[in-house]
């Protein structure tokens, strides 16, 4: 029987989390699923735990491979997937028990090939915010969705990934999901929205975005920005072209902000990386100034909040 949904779980050194993630998928109210764990060269007990789970449930497929990064791991899972629909999960996150059923119901009702699911973002201090809390989206939408465009917690028809142009960029480690999501949205021009949270995204100290290597993070953001820009400028008749170009601009600023927050090299090193992807030196300095402003603005807001707390406590 063909699975209704194939869920792809790339994992690297995820022994602390992978069991919770997979058990949440096994416990879904929608039972006809296929769970593809792609062990990306883990050096801990991830493989052993994954195979133990697979021995207990034949809906689980484990692929052990050498470490090549999250994009190749997801592409490996896509090539193995047999489901009518595709979902993704990070190994340190999990779906709520009826999460996949809700996404599938929206897909059936809307006849869209892409369903964006709302998710809970759980910070390390326990504070919960929602992924699309500021978006007023209807069941079917043809306007560009503001904010988060990661691919976990969403649902995609398998036919979207038949071309190599619509796979993850191999080697890209940051914004790789956003690059592909932009391409998919621009191709389809519409998407459905599931307003109820279906997924819990857990912020933890092992996240790739907690990496201390600011220069590497910046490089991948510049790379993603280049891919966005090239796709928007070379592809005829796509939807959301201006939004993609705006996202490219944002990715460049994000690169500078990551670098400034986790500085591990000189500004000259960063400029050299920028010029590997973009030719205009003047633009680099403008992005740098804008990133400095955004970081200092955020710091100022934090100071204001702290002062407000002090004033309230004195009262």
């Amino acid at each position: 029987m063909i699975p209704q949904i194939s869920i792809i779980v790339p994992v690297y050194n995820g022994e602390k989390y992978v069991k919770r993630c997979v058990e949440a998928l096994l416990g879904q109210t929608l039972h006809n699923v296929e769970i593809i764990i792609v062990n990306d060269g883990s050096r801990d007990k991830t493989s052993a735990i994954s195979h133990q789970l697979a021995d207990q449930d034949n809906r689980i497929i484990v692929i052990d491979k050498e470490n090549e990064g999250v994009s190749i791991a997801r592409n490996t899972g896509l090539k193995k997937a047999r489901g009518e629909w595709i979902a993704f999960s990070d190994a340190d996150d999990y779906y709520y028990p009826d999460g996949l059923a809700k996404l599938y119901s929206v897909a059936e009702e809307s006849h869209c090939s892409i369903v964006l699911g709302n998710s809970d973002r759980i910070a390390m201090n326990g504070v919960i915010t929602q992924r699309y809390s500021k978006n007023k989206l209807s069941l079917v939408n043809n306007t560009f969705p503001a904010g988060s465009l990661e691919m976990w917690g969403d649902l995609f028809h398998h036919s979207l990934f038949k071309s190599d142009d619509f796979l993850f960029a191999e080697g890209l480690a940051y914004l790789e999901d956003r690059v592909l999501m932009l391409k998919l949205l621009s191709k389809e021009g519409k998407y459905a929205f599931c307003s109820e949270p279906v997924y819990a995204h857990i912020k933890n100290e092992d996240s790739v975005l907690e990496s201390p290597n600011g220069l590497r993070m910046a490089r991948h953001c510049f790379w993603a920005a280049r891919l966005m820009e090239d796709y928007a400028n070379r592809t005829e008749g796509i939807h959301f072209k201006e939004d993609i170009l705006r996202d490219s601009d944002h990715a460049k600023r994000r690169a500078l902000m990551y670098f400034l927050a986790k500085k591990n090299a000189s500004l000259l090193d960063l400029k050299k990386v920028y010029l590997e992807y973009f030719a205009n030196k003047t633009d680099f300095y403008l992005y740098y100034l804008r990133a400095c402003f955004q970081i200092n603005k955020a710091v100022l807001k934090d100071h204001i909040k702290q002062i407000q707390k002090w004033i309230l406590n004195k009262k």
Side-chain angles (χ1 to χ4, degrees):
M1 181 169 58
I2 296 175
Q4 288 171 292
I5 302 177
S6 294
I7 307 99
I8 297 167
V9 184
V11 55
Y12 174 71
N13 289 349
E15 64 180 9
K16 290 190 287 185
Y17 313 108
V18 68
K19 185 176 181 180
R20 178 187 65 185
C21 170
V22 174
E23 287 182 341
L25 293 171
L26 293 173
Q28 291 293 301
T29 56
L30 192 154
H31 296 289
N32 184 17
V33 299
E34 172 184 67
I35 302 161
I36 303 173
I37 305 172
V38 185
N39 172 35
D40 189 35
S42 297
R43 299 178 181 179
D44 61 4
K45 296 177 182 177
T46 293
S47 179
I49 294 169
S50 299
H51 283 283
Q52 286 172 5
L53 291 165
D55 289 341
Q56 298 165 18
D57 198 303
N58 61 12
R59 292 177 293 172
I60 300 174
I61 298 168
V62 180
I63 301 173
D64 290 308
K65 58 181 291 299
E66 63 180 311
N67 180 242
E68 297 176 291
V70 66
S71 292
I72 293 179
R74 289 197 184 116
N75 289 342
T76 300
L78 281 169
K79 290 169 184 175
K80 184 73 173 178
R82 299 180 299 116
E84 178 190 5
W85 293 87
I86 304 292
F88 298 92
S89 178
D90 284 355
D92 51 352
D93 297 341
Y94 58 89
Y95 278 87
Y96 294 138
D98 57 354
L100 292 176
K102 287 177 178 176
L103 289 171
Y104 187 78
S105 176
V106 170
E108 291 283 284
E109 184 180 355
S110 67
H111 302 290
C112 288
S113 296
I114 300 172
V115 180
L116 301 185
N118 213 344
S119 302
D120 288 328
R121 295 175 174 272
I122 304 175
M124 283 188 277
N125 62 4
V127 174
I128 299 176
T129 56
Q130 284 197 353
R131 181 184 187 187
Y132 290 111
S133 59
K134 296 179 181 179
N135 285 253
K136 294 182 179 179
L137 298 173
S138 55
L139 177 65
V140 179
N141 305 268
N142 56 13
T143 56
F144 189 76
S148 168
L149 285 180
E150 296 95 345
M151 293 179 72
W152 40 251
D154 301 326
L155 196 62
F156 307 88
H157 196 265
H158 74 97
S159 60
L160 294 171
F161 304 102
K162 293 301 182 184
S163 165
D164 287 347
D165 286 338
F166 293 92
L167 294 175
F168 293 92
E170 295 191 353
L172 189 62
Y174 307 114
L175 301 182
E176 76 289 340
D177 44 2
R178 193 170 185 96
V179 171
L180 181 53
M181 179 70 93
L182 289 170
K183 293 169 74 173
L184 294 172
L185 287 169
S186 70
K187 177 185 177 185
E188 291 297 298
K190 66 176 183 177
Y191 57 92
F193 178 60
C194 179
S195 59
E196 296 181 70
V198 299
Y199 183 92
H201 175 59
I202 313 297
K203 181 79 170 179
N204 64 71
E205 67 275 8
D206 298 320
S207 167
V208 291
L209 293 181
E210 297 305 308
S211 166
N213 193 334
L215 187 63
R216 177 176 181 267
M217 294 172 74
R219 174 183 291 279
H220 283 260
C221 289
F222 289 143
W223 181 4
R226 179 79 263 172
L227 291 173
M228 294 175 193
E229 211 169 278
D230 288 347
Y231 177 75
N233 288 327
R234 78 168 190 268
T235 311
E236 297 292 332
I238 61 171
H239 303 272
F240 310 131
K241 178 175 180 177
E242 294 305 316
D243 297 291
I244 296 173
L245 291 173
R246 199 159 37 242
D247 246 53
S248 173
D249 183 76
H250 179 71
K252 295 174 194 175
R253 282 183 280 131
R254 183 183 291 198
L256 273 295
M257 291 177 71
Y258 278 148
F259 176 79
L260 290 169
K262 302 173 183 292
K263 189 173 181 182
N264 67 314
S266 71
L267 187 61
L268 180 60
D269 293 325
L270 183 65
K271 187 175 76 169
K272 287 178 181 177
V273 171
Y274 179 85
L275 293 175
E276 291 177 24
Y277 297 95
F278 304 97
N280 195 319
K281 294 180 183 179
T282 303
D283 282 353
F284 170 78
Y285 293 114
L286 290 174
Y287 285 120
Y288 178 75
L289 290 173
R290 289 163 71 184
C292 288
F293 173 76
Q294 284 182 271
I295 285 180
N296 287 311
K297 183 179 177 183
V299 170
L300 182 59
K301 283 184 178 179
D302 285 341
H303 284 310
I304 291 171
K305 286 180 183 177
Q306 187 61 52
I307 291 169
Q308 288 173 333
K309 286 181 183 178
W310 289 339
I311 292 172
L312 289 172
N313 288 336
K314 285 185 178 180
K315 287 184 178 179

